């Protein structure tokens, strides 16, 4: 019921950092056996205003998933686009207006739209957590959602330097 991040690094009652901690401390999973799943997507909602509430979060309806490539496409056609960084969640979000008809993005929602998504900066913060905790690595949902956009791959190259993955021991 609220426009909000899909994978906040911090904040809220549950987040990526808490999840990693829980797997290690509550369930006893060794760090070298954990792979952090990261999203190459976000969610967008119809909301009451293009002026975000506290931490950007505001009541929303009709959520829909948007790939990273889809988010970039939205940004290229959105009316009154405003982009923000949420320092609590460590994730970007954007707002824009979708008119009832003639929407350049084709949505015709007759409402403000709000999109939380992950970009290179937010994913880089998650990769820093992987390295700080000594986790096994990352898994991406889903490969191809970036449609060849190099910035996400460049972030991986900057944060990780493994020539091949070592064999797992069970």
């Amino acid at each position: 019921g609220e426009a909000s991040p899909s994978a906040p690094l911090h904040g809220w009652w549950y987040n990526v950092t808490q999840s990693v901690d829980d797997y290690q401390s509550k369930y006893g999973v060794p760090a070298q056996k954990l792979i952090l799943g990261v999203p190459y997507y976000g969610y967008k909602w119809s909301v009451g205003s293009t002026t975000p509430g506290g931490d950007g979060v505001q009541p929303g309806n009709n959520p829909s998933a948007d790939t990273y490539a889809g988010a970039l496409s939205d940004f290229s056609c959105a009316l009154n686009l405003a982009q923000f960084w949420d320092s609590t969640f460590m994730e970007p979000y954007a707002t824009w207006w979708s008119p009832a008809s003639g929407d350049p993005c084709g949505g015709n929602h007759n409402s403000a739209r709000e999109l939380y998504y992950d970009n290179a900066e937010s994913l880089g913060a998650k990769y820093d957590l992987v390295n700080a905790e000594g986790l096994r690595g990352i898994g991406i949902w889903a490969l191809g959602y970036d449609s060849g956009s190099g910035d996400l791959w460049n972030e991986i190259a900057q944060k990780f330097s493994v020539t091949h993955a070592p064999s797992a021991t069970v």
Side-chain angles (χ1 to χ4, degrees):
E2 290 183 320
S4 55
S6 53
L9 187 62
H10 305 291
W12 286 32
W13 67 275
Y14 207 65
N15 55 60
V16 171
T17 304
Q18 182 67 48
S19 179
V20 168
D21 182 61
D22 282 353
Y23 273 96
Q24 293 179 82
S25 64
K26 287 184 178 180
Y27 308 117
V29 179
Q32 67 272 17
K33 291 189 178 185
L34 285 177
I35 295 173
L36 180 65
V38 296
Y40 271 26
Y41 66 91
Y43 279 94
K44 61 185 170 186
W45 292 261
S46 290
V47 294
S49 169
T50 56
T51 305
D55 286 328
V57 175
Q58 59 179 315
N61 57 47
N62 300 319
S64 62
D66 206 2
T67 65
Y68 182 70
L72 297 180
S73 178
D74 285 339
F75 299 158
S76 70
C77 61
L79 299 173
N80 304 318
L81 176 68
Q83 293 177 282
F84 305 93
W85 176 259
D86 191 306
S87 59
T88 299
F89 301 136
M90 297 296 290
E91 192 167 303
Y93 65 99
T95 63
W96 65 91
W97 178 252
S98 174
S101 63
D103 184 344
C105 295
N108 300 323
H109 294 279
N110 193 32
S111 71
R113 301 290 282 165
E114 187 165 297
L115 165 70
Y116 269 91
Y117 64 104
D118 272 275
N119 65 5
E121 185 178 359
S122 63
L123 291 168
K126 290 173 176 78
Y127 302 160
D128 288 342
L129 176 68
V130 168
N131 288 325
E133 294 290 324
L135 303 185
R136 179 118 179 124
I138 60 168
I140 299 167
W141 185 263
L143 289 175
Y145 279 5
D146 60 336
S147 293
S149 189
D151 55 335
L152 303 186
W153 289 99
N154 292 340
E155 194 66 25
I156 292 172
Q158 288 177 12
K159 300 291 181 171
F160 302 111
S161 59
V162 175
T163 56
H164 72 285
S167 299
T169 56
V170 179

